Amino acid sequence: MLTSTLRGFKAARTLAVAATVLTLVGCDFLDPTNVNNPSTTADDLAAAENPTAALLPGLRAAFAVAYNPVEPEVVSDNYSIHGTGLVKQLDSPRDVTPDEIGNRAYGSKQTLRSLADFVLNDIAPGDATATPDDLQEARYYLGMAFLLLGERFAAAPVAVDGTPVASADLVRTAITELSAALTAGSGFETPIRAALARAYRLDGNASDAETQANAVLAADPAFAQGQEYDPATITNGPYAFLVILPRLDFLDPKYTAREAPIYVAKAEEMLLIKAEIEFSRGNYAGGREFIAQAIETAQTRSTSNFDDGDARLNEDLSERPHDASITIRSDASSPFRSGLVLSRPGMVSTPTVAATSLDADSVRALDAATQTEDILHAFHLARQEMMLLEGRRMTDLGIRLPMERDEIETNANINEGDLGTVAIVPAYIPAQDLMDLFDPASPYDASGVLVTTQVTINVDMNRILAQQRISPFGTLP
């Protein structure tokens, strides 16, 4: 097992996990010293030829594992757990305890943070071969580890036996690390700026979020950064087993292969950040235009043809909507809409990067003075649809998960009830699993015959977010 004076979460365990992750990237890392020794130590790595560069493939692998969005997607109103093997509590945010949070959801982020810290503070200072671009990439991963922890968890310790650091402070640390990465080299500039725009938004800093979003769009108006996966080692986590809400059916499956990339950042998000900033300034006409531009950008993205044999079953094995003649409304007061459900089984065409059910001209036609709630509704729907399966929706809903049980039980400075041991769920989130329900639960009879073509979602969370004027920039005007 690797041993080191690694600073951070469960040092010995993190290095053991890091060793496992690093074995997935090939023999160049496994034997950077050209010595076949199963007890590789930090000193061995430091003495290796080009040790910082040798560790970067492991960091990339750790980031791929950490970016997995399964639990946040299920906790949100995007997906249900039916038939997935995930614990039922994940469908009901207030019922989620540390017992439902495991290494994939939590520990992988801490592993990424600790490994990046190890590279930057234990290896790179003694490595004369470390290039500015090597250091920039490593610091990007460190910043992203803090950002993922801040986005997804109520709090988390960032030192051995440390006290929990609140979500907002984790995001601010991410900003510090990403800002340092920005000036450390030149090869990763646009991804870092995209991450900074995302972090500044969460921090409520409109000015700096706008600056970074503008820089990303100036560098590449069609920017899209995908994290690749490997079907033989680290697979795309949500590829095979999530059950989507019917009004999002036209987006599924977004990932049709185990190696399909999960998008970390893209131009659509930058445009929507700019839209939200304009809303915070009371400029609904300007924000409306950026939503329309995001829609037009999404319409240029690629699609994939997929022969889908998904039975679309509920937990009781009744059939969920799977016929294109079915219309969906987002709640009981909304109009029924067609085109949201695809006919299955059969060949379907679905987006691989981003898509939306919104129409740019229709958004532009909304009155900026009298239809502000509808504009905000379009904004939240656009974020939900365009960034599906990228881990954003739970964060946008204001939900933060507790840390995993192992963290609490092995850290003497964390007790039950402390910050980070209980999920944060805003009062406007419905009780139990109501976000995932629709009526009728099955539009088919027991023989599989379609008996109604109208399905109503129980609650429209985009309408609630719009009515509540929810935004990291403060309550919107």
Side-chain angles (χ1 to χ4, degrees):
M1 185 178 82
L2 287 173
T3 57
S4 172
T5 57
L6 181 69
R7 292 170 292 280
F9 166 83
K10 306 294 182 292
R13 191 184 82 173
T14 297
L15 277 172
V17 173
T20 301
V21 170
L22 294 168
T23 63
L24 301 176
V25 301
C27 60
D28 287 345
F29 168 76
L30 290 179
D31 193 16
T33 61
N34 295 316
V35 176
N36 184 13
N37 184 346
S39 300
T40 302
T41 67
D43 289 340
D44 293 332
L45 292 172
E49 183 179 354
N50 305 321
T52 302
L55 283 163
L56 281 177
L59 263 178
R60 294 169 191 143
F63 181 64
V65 174
Y67 210 75
N68 189 309
V70 169
E71 284 77 9
E73 292 290 321
V74 174
V75 170
S76 79
D77 58 337
N78 285 346
Y79 288 89
S80 300
I81 56 93
H82 303 318
T84 64
L86 297 172
V87 293
K88 185 173 179 58
Q89 289 89 332
L90 291 172
D91 260 347
S92 182
R94 289 183 178 83
D95 293 336
V96 178
T97 73
D99 295 324
E100 287 78 56
I101 304 301
N103 183 70
R104 178 178 60 195
Y106 175 80
S108 62
K109 284 73 174 169
Q110 291 284 25
T111 296
L112 175 64
R113 182 192 59 77
S114 293
L115 183 56
D117 179 80
F118 173 66
V119 170
L120 288 164
N121 293 299
D122 288 88
I123 298 299
D127 178 11
T129 69
T131 69
D133 285 357
D134 290 342
L135 299 177
Q136 182 182 54
E137 185 177 357
R139 196 161 295 279
Y140 166 77
Y141 293 129
L142 181 59
M144 287 302 297
F146 280 106
L147 182 55
L148 291 173
L149 285 168
E151 284 182 334
R152 300 183 185 182
F153 296 94
V158 294
V160 174
D161 293 330
T163 56
V165 176
S167 171
D169 292 322
L170 291 168
V171 171
R172 293 184 189 110
T173 302
I175 289 170
T176 298
E177 296 298 340
L178 291 166
S179 297
L182 191 60
T183 59
S186 59
F188 241 65
E189 180 177 342
T190 303
I192 292 169
R193 289 191 182 279
L196 277 169
R198 174 173 164 182
Y200 278 127
R201 172 186 177 264
L202 279 179
D203 192 42
N205 184 334
S207 177
D208 286 334
E210 183 177 43
T211 295
Q212 299 302 334
N214 283 337
V216 172
L217 294 168
D220 183 359
F223 175 69
Q225 175 196 357
Q227 172 57 54
E228 300 289 340
Y229 288 84
D230 181 348
T233 53
I234 304 173
T235 63
N236 174 322
Y239 154 72
F241 68 101
L242 293 181
V243 182
I244 200 164
L245 196 68
R247 66 177 175 80
L248 302 170
D249 181 85
F250 72 101
L251 299 170
D252 182 72
K254 186 171 185 176
Y255 308 133
T256 58
R258 294 182 183 277
E259 65 270 25
I262 296 176
Y263 282 86
V264 179
K266 54 198 177 192
E268 290 89 339
E269 182 178 16
M270 301 300 106
L271 289 163
L272 292 173
I273 287 172
K274 287 168 65 64
E276 192 173 14
I277 291 169
E278 293 306 319
F279 300 149
S280 73
R281 295 167 176 164
N283 181 10
Y284 280 87
R288 178 188 62 192
E289 176 57 27
F290 286 126
I291 298 173
Q293 290 179 23
I295 294 167
E296 290 167 344
T297 301
Q299 290 170 340
T300 69
R301 300 301 193 180
S302 62
T303 59
S304 174
N305 293 324
F306 181 70
D307 191 2
D308 194 350
D310 187 351
R312 285 295 199 262
L313 299 180
N314 286 307
E315 193 171 20
D316 63 1
L317 302 184
S318 62
E319 296 180 43
R320 296 167 72 88
H322 60 78
D323 191 294
S325 66
I326 293 173
T327 58
I328 304 285
R329 59 179 176 176
S330 298
D331 60 22
S333 61
S334 299
F336 286 99
R337 300 177 63 197
S338 61
L340 300 181
V341 177
L342 304 181
S343 290
R344 309 166 202 260
M347 188 68 67
V348 295
S349 178
T350 53
T352 59
V353 181
T356 179
S357 63
L358 292 164
D359 175 74
D361 289 339
S362 297
V363 169
R364 288 188 174 104
L366 294 171
D367 189 280
T370 63
Q371 294 180 280
T372 57
E373 183 181 308
D374 290 335
I375 292 172
L376 290 175
H377 183 273
F379 164 77
H380 290 294
L381 180 58
R383 278 190 64 91
Q384 181 182 29
E385 292 180 340
M386 292 181 192
M387 290 181 278
L388 185 77
L389 277 179
E390 294 169 13
R392 305 290 205 283
R393 181 63 172 182
M394 186 190 78
T395 305
D396 284 352
L397 292 174
I399 299 169
R400 300 295 185 275
L401 298 173
M403 64 187 78
E404 68 174 318
R405 175 65 62 190
D406 182 62
E407 180 73 87
I408 299 169
E409 292 184 347
T410 59
N411 187 331
N413 290 311
I414 302 177
N415 300 300
E416 292 285 354
D418 285 353
L419 180 68
T421 64
V422 178
I424 293 175
V425 183
Y428 54 77
I429 300 295
Q432 301 174 336
D433 60 351
L434 298 180
M435 291 191 297
D436 294 331
L437 300 182
F438 49 92
D439 183 51
S442 175
Y444 305 89
D445 66 16
S447 300
V449 175
L450 185 66
V451 295
T452 179
T453 59
Q454 294 185 330
V455 173
T456 300
I457 305 299
N458 183 72
V459 58
D460 183 358
M461 287 308 304
N462 295 314
R463 183 64 61 188
I464 290 175
L465 293 173
Q467 291 171 341
Q468 296 283 328
R469 296 308 212 244
I470 300 299
S471 171
F473 300 121
T475 303
L476 296 174

